[in-house]
Amino acid sequence: MSKLEMLTPQNCAVALIDYQPAMYQGVQSHDRLGVFNNIQIVAKAAKLFKLPTVLTTVAKDSFSGPFMPEVTELFPEHDIVDRTAMNSWLDAGFRKQVAATGRKKFIIAGLWTEACVLFPTLDMLREGYEIYIPADACGDLSLEAHNRAMDRAVQAGAVPITSCQFAFELQQDWARAETYDGMMEILKAHSPYGIQIRFSKWALGEHASEGGSKAA
């Protein structure tokens, strides 16, 4: 493995942690709607490119509420691991699902950055995993809390990325026709670039494509 190696549909997996109502309520580091959209970019890209994906909640029935349905509906067959530990890695069910992916490159995103993202990141780094954190899809009690958690994760060896960077890295070439339309739908629904996509389709016709005629 190498951090210089691009993320591909064949070499990475995703773990999404605690996107639940109680956890969203504490997010003050980012606009919550931004986090809400960015995690959908990550989840929909994982679905589109068929990446192994692990979902986990904390105290779902007794405190925090269900994982956001906008994500769970993408993975209807998934067994969502519910925990009591802030650190997902302490839960045997989470570790089992991570191991079952067979991947060593993991994208980890969650609420909150300083605990539910950072803690499993540190443990998984120790276990030999490469960790990539889409920082704009995470959130915390304050900007300071989020930034210091990201600093610590990066100092420990994690790689900071963004939600769209993750999706673009998987797509690589707009002429990759099998995922082009799916990528366009993700960007239209959840990113500012969606406005440009709609305009180009209106101005140039539905045949307009960044991938040329191959992807149109």
Side-chain angles (χ1 to χ4, degrees), residues 76-156:
E77 305 302 320
H78 278 45
D79 179 21
I80 301 173
V81 177
D82 192 49
R83 331 171 314 275
T84 58
M86 286 183 280
N87 183 354
S88 300
W89 194 249
L90 298 180
D91 187 276
F94 180 82
R95 295 195 304 273
K96 181 179 179 180
Q97 288 202 18
V98 166
T101 69
R103 308 286 172 92
K104 281 294 189 178
K105 290 180 182 285
F106 255 86
I107 291 80
I108 293 183
L111 305 175
W112 302 322
T113 323
E114 65 186 338
C116 301
V117 174
L118 179 64
F119 294 171
T121 290
L122 296 176
D123 276 336
M124 290 177 71
L125 287 168
R126 276 195 295 270
E127 293 292 328
Y129 290 89
E130 282 184 14
I131 304 300
Y132 299 77
I133 303 173
D136 62 344
C138 303
D140 214 320
L141 300 173
S142 68
L143 184 59
E144 183 77 11
H146 172 80
N147 286 343
R148 297 295 77 76
M150 287 300 303
D151 287 345
R152 187 175 176 190
V154 171
Q155 288 170 359

Side-chain angles (χ1 to χ4, degrees), residues 3-163:
K3 292 173 185 175
L4 297 179
E5 180 184 29
M6 289 283 189
L7 297 171
T8 72
Q10 293 75 38
N11 71 7
C12 66
V14 175
L16 305 181
I17 302 172
D18 300 353
Y19 287 91
Q20 301 166 260
M23 308 309 291
Y24 266 113
Q25 287 296 321
V27 172
Q28 298 293 323
S29 59
H30 298 70
D31 173 69
R32 291 174 193 157
L33 185 58
V35 174
F36 183 78
N37 276 299
N38 289 334
I39 192 53
Q40 290 185 72
I41 292 174
V42 173
K44 288 182 177 181
K47 174 73 171 182
L48 177 64
F49 290 93
K50 300 179 174 61
L51 300 186
T53 301
V54 179
L55 305 178
T56 181
T57 54
V58 63
K60 172 178 67 72
D61 296 322
S62 61
F63 189 82
S64 299
F67 203 110
M68 57 186 284
E70 292 81 0
V71 170
T72 57
E73 288 169 2
L74 300 172
F75 306 101
E77 305 302 320
H78 278 45
D79 179 21
I80 301 173
V81 177
D82 192 49
R83 331 171 314 275
T84 58
M86 286 183 280
N87 183 354
S88 300
W89 194 249
L90 298 180
D91 187 276
F94 180 82
R95 295 195 304 273
K96 181 179 179 180
Q97 288 202 18
V98 166
T101 69
R103 308 286 172 92
K104 281 294 189 178
K105 290 180 182 285
F106 255 86
I107 291 80
I108 293 183
L111 305 175
W112 302 322
T113 323
E114 65 186 338
C116 301
V117 174
L118 179 64
F119 294 171
T121 290
L122 296 176
D123 276 336
M124 290 177 71
L125 287 168
R126 276 195 295 270
E127 293 292 328
Y129 290 89
E130 282 184 14
I131 304 300
Y132 299 77
I133 303 173
D136 62 344
C138 303
D140 214 320
L141 300 173
S142 68
L143 184 59
E144 183 77 11
H146 172 80
N147 286 343
R148 297 295 77 76
M150 287 300 303
D151 287 345
R152 187 175 176 190
V154 171
Q155 288 170 359
V159 179
I161 60 174
T162 66
S163 54

Side-chain angles (χ1 to χ4, degrees), residues 159-181:
V159 179
I161 60 174
T162 66
S163 54
C164 279
Q165 179 187 350
F166 169 60
F168 296 154
E169 198 159 336
L170 295 174
Q171 177 69 26
Q172 287 288 332
D173 188 342
W174 291 118
R176 181 177 285 174
E178 63 271 22
T179 51
Y180 176 83
D181 288 339

